[in-house]
Amino acid sequence: MTTTHLDLTADAVTLTGQLVDIESVSLGEQEIADAVEHALSAYPHLAVTRRGHTVVARTDLGRGERVVIAGHLDTVPVNDNLPARREGGLLHGLGSCDMKGGDAVILRLAATVPEPNRDVTYILYEAEEIEERYNGLRLLAESDPDLMAADFAILMEPSNALVEAGCQGTLRVEVRTTGERAHSARSWRGVNAIHGAAEVLRCLTEYDARRPVIDGLEYHEGLNAVSIRGGVAGNVLPDECVVEVNFRFAPDRSEAEAEAFVREVFDGYDVRLTDSAPGALPGLDLPAAKAFVEAVGGEVNPKFGWTDVARFSALGVPAVNFGPGDPMLAHKQEEHVPIEHIERCEARLRSWLTS
Ligand SMILES: [Zn+2]
C-alpha cells in the first residue's frame, strides 16, 4: 500500500481537510498514522518515533523547558459525513472539530518551527474515542514514559480556541436496595426493593451541587442516577433494585474523597464502586501554565468533561485543553470547525513558541 500524502507546506485549513479525508475511525488509524509519520520524517529537526499507530516527533535543542502538544488521530464512526467540505467560514466533515483541526495545527507547527524557544514533543495518538485500554497516550506512558515527560502539556481537543483548564473527575457506584420476594397478591408478606429505591432517588433530587472556585475557575459537580434496574416478574415483589449513580466531581477532591462523599450520601445502603477516574487541577499557578495562558490571550474556562488532560496531571505534568472547534459539536453528524479557530490557534501557538 502506498502512503497517502499529507502536504505540510499547505495552510492548516487545507491540511485539516486532507486529514479529514483519511478515514480514521478508532482502531483503523494505520493509514493516517503512516501518512503523519511519513510527512514528519522529512524534517531533520524532528526525531520521529512510532509506537503502534501513535507518532511522536520531538525537537531536541537542549532548551530549559519541554512542552507536549498532543492530539488524537481517531474519530467516532462515519455517519455520512465524509469527505471534508468547505462552506463559508466553516470546514465540515467527520473529525473536523474532534480533532483534526487541532492535529493540523500540530503538524504545521512541527514542520515550520525548527527552532522553538522551548523543546516540543508533538504527539499524534491512536484510540482516544474508545475504551481506555486502547488509548495511545496510556500505552505510550507505559512503553516510553520519557516521551511523555514535560513541564507542561497542551491537548488540542476542541475548546473554542480558548484555554480550558483542569477537568472534573468521574466515578460510578451501584446503590442496592434489598427486600423480600412475595406474590403481589399478598404483598404484605414481602418487602418491595423497588419502593426502597425511592429514598435513594430522593437523596439524588435533594442533592445540592457544589460549585467550588479553583484558581479562579468555577466548577460544577453533578450527582445523577444514570440507570435503574430491578424486577422479577409481573406478579412478584422484587427483592433487589440497583440504582447506578454517576458522580462528576470537581478536581479539588481526590478519587478517594469523592468515593467517601458518595458513601456518606448513601449511608446505610449497599454501595459498590464500579468505575473511577480522577480529575485534574487547573494548575494555573504553575509558571509554565501561567506563561502559556498569558501568551494566548488570558481567557480561561473550566473543563467539565474528562479528557486526557487528567492523564498528564496524574504524571505530574500540568496540562490544558486549547484547540479549534466547539466541543458541543464533537461526535455529531454535522460536526464542523470554524476556519478562524484553526488560524487563531496556530497563530497563538506559533508566537508562544517563537517569541
Ligand atoms: Zn477528542
Side-chain angles (χ1 to χ4, degrees):
M1 199 173 96
T2 53
T3 303
T4 310
H5 183 69
L6 284 174
D7 181 7
L8 302 194
T9 64
D11 65 90
V13 179
T14 304
L15 189 53
T16 303
Q18 291 177 10
L19 289 166
V20 168
D21 288 346
I22 304 176
E23 192 182 310
S24 59
V25 178
S26 309
L27 301 182
E29 299 99 330
Q30 167 140 19
E31 186 185 351
I32 198 167
D34 285 351
V36 163
E37 181 188 10
H38 184 77
L40 290 173
S41 296
Y43 295 88
H45 66 272
L46 297 171
V48 178
T49 309
R50 169 90 174 247
R51 294 284 180 266
H53 298 320
T54 294
V55 180
V56 183
R58 289 161 47 105
T59 65
D60 203 355
L61 299 160
R63 304 287 196 234
E65 188 180 60
R66 176 172 290 281
V67 296
V68 162
I69 306 181
H72 61 81
L73 291 170
D74 62 320
T75 69
V76 295
V78 185
N79 187 10
D80 198 18
N81 48 6
L82 286 176
R85 175 171 57 86
R86 197 167 165 162
E87 211 178 272
L90 302 175
L91 185 89
H92 297 259
L94 176 62
S96 55
C97 168
D98 186 12
M99 54 174 288
K100 291 180 172 178
D103 294 336
V105 171
I106 291 172
L107 290 169
R108 282 287 296 159
L109 294 170
T112 61
V113 186
E115 294 194 349
N117 52 15
R118 27 181 70 86
D119 272 311
V120 188
T121 304
Y122 300 99
I123 304 178
L124 292 138
Y125 63 102
E126 60 183 329
E128 191 272 346
E129 299 288 6
I130 52 172
E131 299 106 280
E132 163 74 11
R133 66 195 164 107
Y134 297 108
N135 185 295
L137 273 187
R138 189 184 80 86
L139 298 175
L140 193 66
E142 276 173 17
S143 66
D144 301 78
D146 49 311
L147 293 180
M148 297 276 285
D151 300 289
F152 181 56
I154 298 159
L155 280 146
M156 297 206 66
E157 289 278 0
S159 60
N160 283 313
L162 297 171
V163 178
E164 288 186 341
C167 78
Q168 297 207 127
T170 176
L171 68 75
R172 260 176 285 278
V173 294
E174 289 183 347
V175 183
R176 220 169 231 88
T177 57
T178 50
E180 196 186 330
R181 286 191 198 184
H183 196 295
S184 57
R186 290 175 294 277
S187 57
W188 55 92
R189 307 287 296 266
V191 179
N192 190 319
I194 291 181
H195 292 190
E199 184 60 21
V200 172
L201 299 178
R202 196 184 57 79
C203 290
L204 290 169
T205 50
E206 286 180 0
Y207 163 76
D208 194 11
R210 205 172 62 103
R211 298 168 76 161
V213 175
I214 307 165
D215 285 0
L217 304 178
E218 188 185 63
Y219 288 85
H220 196 156
E221 297 190 325
L223 186 67
N224 286 281
V226 290
S227 83
I228 186 161
R229 61 179 193 269
V232 177
N235 56 355
V236 177
L237 261 64
D239 57 352
E240 182 180 85
C241 180
V242 177
V243 182
E244 186 185 22
V245 174
N246 181 211
F247 183 37
R248 296 285 172 154
F249 53 95
D252 59 342
R253 296 192 205 257
S254 68
E255 285 174 276
E257 286 165 348
E259 183 186 346
F261 171 76
V262 172
R263 289 191 182 278
E264 193 185 302
V265 170
F266 300 110
D267 189 27
Y269 288 93
D270 175 359
V271 175
R272 298 179 197 176
L273 183 73
T274 56
D275 184 33
S276 171
L281 286 165
L284 296 176
D285 50 334
L286 294 154
K290 220 184 228 170
F292 176 72
V293 169
E294 271 165 31
V296 300
E299 192 177 338
V300 185
N301 295 311
K303 182 83 187 170
F304 297 116
W306 194 92
T307 78
D308 272 318
V309 157
R311 192 181 307 282
F312 281 101
S313 189
L315 294 170
V317 180
V320 298
N321 284 294
F322 177 69
D326 179 348
M328 301 292 219
L329 289 169
H331 305 186
K332 294 204 153 214
Q333 189 198 18
E334 70 272 23
E335 126 174 47
H336 55 257
V337 62
I339 283 163
E340 185 270 326
H341 282 193
I342 298 174
E343 292 168 345
R344 179 153 36 118
C345 284
E346 185 186 356
R348 296 259 165 98
L349 284 169
R350 184 180 298 283
S351 85
W352 179 61
L353 290 174
T354 54
S355 62

